[in-house]
């Protein structure tokens, strides 16, 4: 949703395109960081579960 709001500004002459591009990159990086953290949590939980089932 945030990316869509930023992308709508590309066509608006009132906004500096460089600023809009930076905002979009920042949001995408935040999403990527959160996804990486979530992936790690899931992998750790799966590894822990696998360790318990091996006992």
């Amino acid at each position: 949703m945030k990316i869509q709001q930023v992308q709508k500004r590309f066509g608006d002459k009132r906004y500096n395109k460089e600023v809009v591009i930076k905002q979009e990159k920042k949001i995408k990086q935040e999403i990527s960081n959160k996804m990486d953290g979530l992936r790690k949590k899931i992998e750790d939980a799966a590894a822990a579960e696998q360790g318990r089932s091996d006992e």
Side-chain angles (χ1 to χ4, degrees), residues 7-23:
Q7 288 175 340
K8 286 180 184 178
R9 296 178 186 164
F10 278 118
D12 193 333
K13 293 179 182 179
R14 295 178 291 174
Y15 294 99
N16 182 333
K17 290 188 192 246
E18 290 178 26
V19 172
V20 174
I21 290 169
K22 286 181 184 179
Q23 288 173 339

Side-chain angles (χ1 to χ4, degrees), residues 11-41:
D12 193 333
K13 293 179 182 179
R14 295 178 291 174
Y15 294 99
N16 182 333
K17 290 188 192 246
E18 290 178 26
V19 172
V20 174
I21 290 169
K22 286 181 184 179
Q23 288 173 339
E24 183 184 31
K25 284 182 181 181
K26 181 181 175 188
I27 293 168
K28 286 182 177 181
Q29 185 62 49
E30 289 173 2
I31 291 169
S32 178
N33 291 343
K34 288 180 182 181
M35 291 296 291
D36 289 345
L38 223 105
R39 185 177 299 111
K40 177 149 177 42
K41 283 183 182 181

